[in-house]
Amino acid sequence: MTSKVLVIEGMTCAACAKTVERVTKKLSGVVEANVNLATEKLSISFNDGELTIKTIQEAVEKAGYKALTQSVSKVFNIRGMTCAACARTVERVTKKLSGVDEANVNLATEKLNITFDPDLLTTAIIKAAVTKAGYKVVENTDEKDLAGKKQDEINALRNRFVFSAIFALPLLLVAMVPMILESLGVNLPGFLNTMRYPKQFALIQFLMCTPVMIIGRRYYIVGFRNLVKFSPNMDSLIAIGTSAAYLYSFYGVYQIFFNGNVDYELYFEGAAVILALITLGKYMEAVSKGKTSEAIKKLIGLAPKQASVIRSGVEILVPIDEVEVGDIVAVRPGEKFPVDGIVIEGLTAVDESMLTGESIPVEKKIGDTVIGASINKNGSVRYRATRVGKDTALAQIIKLVENAQGSKAPIARLADIISGYFVPVVIVLALIGAGAWFFSGETGAFSVTILISVLVIACPCALGLATPTAIMVGTGKGAQYGVLIKSGVALETAHKIGVVVLDKTGTITEGKPKVTDIILMEQAGKHGESSADDVSISVYSSGGHNSLLQLAASGEKGSEHPLGEAIVRAAEEHGLPLFPTEQFEAIPGRGIQTVIQGSSVLLGNEKLMIEKNISLTDAAAKAEQLAAEGKTPMFVAVDGALGGIIAVADTVKETSAEAVERLHRLGVQVAMITGDNKRTAAAIAKQVRIDTVLAEVLPEDKAAEIKKLQKNGKKTAMVGDGINDAPALAQADVGMAIGSGTDVAMESADIVLMKSDLRDVATAIELSRKTIVNIKQNLFWAFAYNTLGIPVAMGALYLFGGPLLNPVIAALAMSFSSVSVLSNALRLRGFKPSKL
């Protein structure tokens, strides 16, 4: 029997916990299952032979929640990878380790993202496995140090190319110019005449090629080592190809010196130029890779290095790492806010464009939140630090973007599978091609040419870089526009979205409703109305002297519901004192029931009144009128009799209509989900041209409504900002959280919209579509290049009377194939969201 603790995401109440318990207890092999709502954990005991963790997770997910193992995720920097085959090898050896849930290697970032059970596996074992496979692991490397080391690698590649070219270019001229001139009938000077001085000519080529081989020795060390370990990579192809050329030519030197065979062909220039060109390609590839991660570099560069902190009444300058939560920080005009915090003194405007993409400065006053790395424009302020170090918004954004760039999209699976077999297949094809031509009667030199060309032209790099480079640029570009895409899966899925479901409150609307109307069932003996701006003490049928607003606000005191908060706010604005409550009960999706000064008070929607047998005959018509105006009527009943109606309205955001129109232009249907009554919901929907309205939906039923939409076969996105949106965000194919929303909603979402602007939903979908198109272009080029290049190298054109591919041209083509893929991915840096 196995006991396991799983973390459950998406639970909001005891009913959720009970649901998770019920579905897991039904599974065959489960001995015991208990859910703790407070810790959000499922403790489950089961028989190994009958059940797996994956089955449990699927059952919980089917119920509308997520079950996660208590695994830890770590990122390791991997050194020594040169192509997709290397990345595949690292993935394979780590996935074999006991306790590993997931392992993904990103060739573009050279990082291993691994999730594992710390009870079964240690980082030391992971490092040992990767090291045994022939690669080096670097853990917890500072990003700045990492950037410095990558620059050192780029410089090293550049130097290797320069020194290789110093020997390879003259060698190419020495080898090729005499052949060209001889073919043109030009009389050659004695020292260039290969027939008169064959030994000197061969010796010069040997002496000029050997230094290039020494400079490029890394290809041989890594290539042959991986070949011996039965995990060949691109270096193995280069090592075999150039070694074959060098050894064949060395044998030719022997023939010329000792057997007088002056007709023997030499390939020294081919080996040297191939190494030089491949090193040039690697250099250009490294430079291009650096450009794909510019978004991260810019984000890291935003953080200021120092902060002015008030300690013991004195302002001192300290390193950013020494700022602590609770410190008072002083910021002058033009300076950056070092960390996140709350303004306690001063008034200013803050430029947050580098984090949210919003160019207009935001006014900040006492009590407002400021984000670290944003720029103080025009006023000196002091603020209290609330988040420092890795907890700041900037640090979290960097982490999200890094995680996304390190993840894989499903579209990469085919390339991953092929890259695992690519290099061994190429070696076999090279041997088959060379052998076939040799046994068909061609010379050994011809067969060697085929062997070298096939080995050199094959490019697993293009396959390995096609997807991650586009994802890196796409997610980085999204961050610049305030759209944080958490994973490659989310980025890919977003381009298929057919329906976007928008939560009403705080998403379509401002989320800060206010009281607009107060209707009394009896006021001084007759029906009457008063506006929120003219609230006065009214007389109820019960004979009390408290106003309807005062009574309702007393009941809603401490409420976290936006409508309740609006009522309390209205009472406070009019200076109405609030009464203590007794026996308070919140009824989800209905309202509240409480006792105030001995009277039983009900405050809620029509469903609550009907369930409690409160007659609405006199108020029904007025409630319908208010609902038709887009207002939410809330009924107030005292001691079993209707006292009146308080109408609350939440104004629509200025950008909501434009956001819906942009989605329509993308061919996406838009639905609105809300707990409001149908009339109120319909009025809001009409203002912004919503296609489908899902009204009177209880918080716990939102995920079920998403499921219904998914059954129609369309990919569904959910956009929300509240705690009660978390299950629906998790259930949707893509969950999008408004940046101003709760941490729970943002955790449950796949995409975070930092500007709290609905227009960014369309931006996310557009960016996804552009990125997927780019990935498909990259994959097409990578597959097409290898599919066409390898047969040509094997002599397919020559077979039909065409030319034979020169190994140098093959090397040139291979070097620029991966660079072309990277260049195509970098085109995404020009992405701009469309506007109406």
Side-chain angles (χ1 to χ4, degrees):
M1 187 175 74
T2 298
S3 295
K4 200 78 176 174
V5 177
L6 301 176
V7 178
I8 307 298
E9 283 188 355
M11 296 191 301
T12 58
C13 63
C16 299
K18 196 68 178 174
T19 300
V20 175
E21 273 190 10
R22 187 178 67 253
V23 297
T24 49
K25 282 181 178 178
K26 285 182 179 179
L27 296 173
S28 176
V30 171
V31 179
E32 188 177 4
N34 293 305
V35 174
N36 186 319
L37 180 61
T39 61
E40 297 183 335
K41 290 180 179 179
L42 162 66
S43 299
I44 187 167
S45 300
F46 57 95
N47 296 321
D48 283 337
E50 298 180 66
L51 195 61
T52 64
I53 291 294
K54 187 176 180 181
T55 307
I56 296 170
Q57 289 175 318
E58 288 173 352
V60 173
E61 188 171 347
K62 194 175 180 182
Y65 308 92
K66 280 190 176 180
L68 308 174
T69 58
Q70 291 198 102
S71 299
V72 296
S73 295
K74 279 190 173 289
V75 178
F76 297 96
N77 297 296
I78 308 296
R79 301 284 175 80
M81 296 191 300
T82 58
C83 67
C86 299
R88 185 73 176 173
T89 298
V90 175
E91 276 189 4
R92 188 179 67 249
V93 297
T94 49
K95 282 181 177 178
K96 284 181 179 179
L97 297 173
S98 177
V100 172
D101 295 331
E102 189 177 3
N104 289 314
V105 175
N106 188 315
L107 179 61
T109 59
E110 297 179 339
K111 289 182 178 180
L112 162 66
N113 293 267
I114 186 166
T115 304
F116 61 95
D117 189 336
D119 294 332
L120 302 174
L121 191 62
T122 63
T123 55
I125 296 174
I126 296 170
K127 287 181 180 180
V130 175
T131 303
K132 189 177 179 182
Y135 305 92
K136 187 178 179 182
V137 184
V138 183
E139 185 184 4
N140 296 328
T141 303
D142 182 81
E143 286 295 331
K144 291 177 184 176
D145 291 343
L146 191 61
K149 288 176 182 177
K150 287 197 174 187
Q151 187 58 49
D152 291 343
E153 289 176 10
I154 291 173
N155 294 339
L157 282 168
R158 182 193 60 209
N159 294 338
R160 276 169 53 192
F161 166 69
V162 170
F163 287 122
S164 296
I166 288 172
F167 292 98
L169 187 58
L171 175 56
L172 182 64
L173 293 174
V174 168
M176 302 302 292
V177 170
M179 292 172 57
I180 296 170
L181 293 178
E182 283 179 1
S183 66
L184 295 175
V186 177
N187 292 322
L188 299 173
F191 69 92
L192 287 179
N193 195 313
T194 57
M195 299 304 293
R196 291 179 59 186
Y197 302 101
K199 292 182 179 179
Q200 292 90 325
F201 191 72
L203 185 62
I204 288 172
Q205 290 193 54
F206 168 72
L207 293 175
M208 295 182 77
C209 177
T210 302
V212 180
M213 302 285 283
I214 295 171
I215 293 167
R217 61 189 177 277
R218 186 180 180 280
Y219 294 117
Y220 305 100
I221 295 170
V222 176
F224 285 122
R225 181 188 64 200
N226 283 15
L227 192 63
V228 170
K229 291 184 176 182
F230 298 102
S231 57
N233 61 357
M234 192 192 75
D235 288 342
S236 303
L237 298 179
I238 297 167
I240 296 170
T242 54
S243 294
Y246 184 81
L247 293 174
Y248 184 85
S249 300
F250 186 79
Y251 179 72
V253 173
Y254 171 80
Q255 289 288 334
I256 292 170
F257 267 83
F258 298 102
N259 295 333
N261 187 356
V262 296
D263 292 328
Y264 203 90
E265 292 187 48
L266 303 178
Y267 283 97
F268 284 123
E269 84 285 353
V273 174
I274 286 170
L275 287 172
L277 287 174
I278 286 171
T279 304
L280 173 62
K282 283 288 177 189
Y283 168 70
M284 295 175 67
E285 183 182 311
V287 172
S288 298
K289 276 184 187 176
K291 291 179 180 178
T292 62
S293 59
E294 277 186 1
I296 285 286
K297 291 177 185 175
K298 287 180 180 178
L299 287 171
I300 293 172
L302 289 176
K305 307 296 183 291
Q306 294 178 311
S308 296
V309 179
I310 312 299
R311 289 180 181 166
S312 302
V314 180
E315 184 176 322
I316 59 173
L317 203 62
V318 301
I320 189 73
D321 295 337
E322 293 182 14
V323 179
E324 299 176 358
V325 173
D327 276 344
I328 305 302
V329 185
V331 183
R332 295 173 179 80
E335 294 180 347
K336 289 183 178 180
F337 289 89
V339 295
D340 299 355
I342 298 174
V343 177
I344 61 170
E345 183 182 317
L347 178 69
T348 188
V350 178
D351 179 1
E352 298 178 343
S353 60
M354 67 289 296
L355 296 173
T356 65
E358 182 57 61
S359 57
I360 301 173
V362 182
E363 287 191 4
K364 300 289 182 180
K365 59 184 183 300
I366 294 174
D368 287 343
T369 299
V370 290
I371 304 171
S374 56
I375 302 172
N376 184 25
K377 298 294 287 184
N378 56 17
S380 294
V381 295
R382 290 188 177 186
Y383 73 103
R384 181 177 289 103
T386 56
R387 292 183 179 180
V388 300
K390 293 182 179 180
D391 295 326
T392 63
L394 177 63
Q396 293 298 315
I397 290 170
I398 292 172
K399 184 180 178 182
L400 281 176
V401 177
E402 282 180 335
N403 289 343
Q405 293 185 344
S407 65
K408 284 194 175 182
I411 197 172
R413 287 173 187 161
L414 180 60
D416 285 345
I417 293 169
I418 290 176
S419 63
Y421 301 98
F422 186 85
V423 175
V425 169
V426 168
I427 294 173
V428 171
L429 290 175
L431 293 172
I432 290 173
W437 283 109
F438 182 78
F439 290 113
S440 66
E442 292 292 344
T443 63
F446 186 96
S447 297
V448 169
T449 300
I450 295 292
L451 177 73
I452 298 169
S453 295
V454 174
L455 291 172
V456 169
I457 201 170
C459 187
C461 286
L463 287 172
L465 293 171
T467 303
T469 49
I471 288 176
M472 285 179 70
V473 179
T475 52
K477 197 67 185 176
Q480 289 179 17
Y481 284 103
V483 178
L484 301 183
I485 302 168
K486 289 187 176 181
S487 68
V489 175
L491 182 64
E492 179 176 343
T493 307
H495 91 282
K496 301 176 184 176
I497 290 172
V499 180
V500 171
V501 181
L502 305 175
D503 177 54
K504 181 181 80 70
T505 306
T507 303
I508 296 175
T509 64
E510 293 290 351
K512 292 183 179 179
K514 57 184 179 180
V515 175
T516 57
D517 302 86
I518 299 175
I519 295 92
L520 305 179
M521 291 302 99
E522 184 177 338
Q523 181 176 351
K526 60 180 181 178
H527 293 293
E529 299 181 16
S530 62
S531 71
D533 297 325
D534 188 31
V535 175
S536 59
I537 300 297
S538 305
V539 180
Y540 294 95
S541 57
S542 60
H545 293 283
N546 300 323
S547 72
L548 189 70
L549 178 63
Q550 187 178 27
L551 196 65
S554 297
E556 290 286 3
K557 182 174 59 179
S559 171
E560 293 183 357
H561 194 285
L563 300 183
E565 289 176 349
I567 292 173
V568 174
R569 200 160 46 241
E572 290 174 347
E573 287 171 0
H574 290 86
L576 300 176
L578 303 183
F579 302 115
T581 59
E582 306 167 28
Q583 301 175 12
F584 179 89
E585 180 186 359
I587 305 171
R590 303 289 193 271
I592 64 169
Q593 179 174 354
T594 185
V595 175
I596 300 175
Q597 293 188 331
S599 295
S600 175
V601 177
L602 290 171
L603 174 62
N605 56 23
E606 185 179 358
K607 287 183 178 180
L608 178 63
M609 298 298 123
I610 292 172
E611 289 176 2
K612 299 297 182 180
N613 298 316
I614 305 297
S615 175
L616 301 178
T617 304
D618 295 335
K622 191 61 184 176
E624 287 184 11
Q625 181 186 333
L626 291 169
E629 295 170 1
K631 301 170 182 176
T632 301
M634 299 180 69
F635 299 94
V636 183
V638 183
D639 291 331
L642 184 65
I645 303 172
I646 296 179
V648 178
D650 187 5
T651 55
V652 173
K653 290 180 181 178
E654 292 181 3
T655 57
S656 293
E658 182 185 341
V660 174
E661 179 59 27
R662 279 184 60 188
L663 288 170
H664 283 156
R665 289 193 178 188
L666 291 173
V668 177
Q669 293 180 359
V670 184
M672 180 178 76
I673 191 166
T674 178
D676 283 350
N677 64 68
K678 293 180 180 179
R679 284 184 174 274
T680 303
I684 297 292
K686 187 177 181 181
Q687 290 183 51
V688 294
R689 295 184 59 207
I690 297 286
D691 301 307
T692 306
V693 178
L694 305 172
E696 300 178 5
V697 179
L698 296 176
E700 60 267 27
D701 292 336
K702 285 186 177 181
E705 291 294 332
I706 297 295
K707 277 186 184 179
K708 289 178 185 177
L709 291 171
Q710 289 172 323
K711 286 180 181 177
N712 295 328
K714 289 188 176 181
K715 293 291 182 182
T716 304
M718 169 70 191
V719 186
D721 72 331
I723 291 176
N724 59 11
D725 295 326
L729 289 170
Q731 174 61 41
D733 296 294
V734 177
M736 299 187 188
I738 295 293
S740 59
T742 65
D743 290 340
V744 175
M746 293 172 71
E747 279 294 321
S748 302
D750 303 297
I751 298 175
V752 179
L753 310 178
M754 291 297 294
K755 289 186 290 185
S756 301
D757 190 336
L758 264 188
R759 291 176 294 187
D760 288 338
V761 176
T763 299
I765 295 173
E766 282 184 78
L767 181 60
S768 171
R769 291 181 180 181
K770 293 280 187 184
T771 305
I772 294 304
V773 167
N774 192 279
I775 289 173
K776 288 179 177 178
Q777 290 170 345
N778 286 347
L779 287 173
F780 172 80
W781 164 249
F783 283 122
Y785 166 81
N786 286 295
T787 303
L788 296 174
I790 292 174
V792 169
M794 291 179 74
L797 295 180
Y798 186 82
L799 190 64
F800 296 99
L804 184 67
L805 184 66
N806 188 296
V808 172
I809 302 301
L812 188 65
M814 191 280 277
S815 297
F816 284 94
S817 63
S818 55
V819 174
S820 66
V821 166
L822 283 161
S823 299
N824 188 50
L826 289 174
R827 290 193 309 111
L828 280 171
R829 294 196 297 176
F831 168 82
K832 289 183 180 180
S834 63
K835 295 183 179 179
L836 294 181

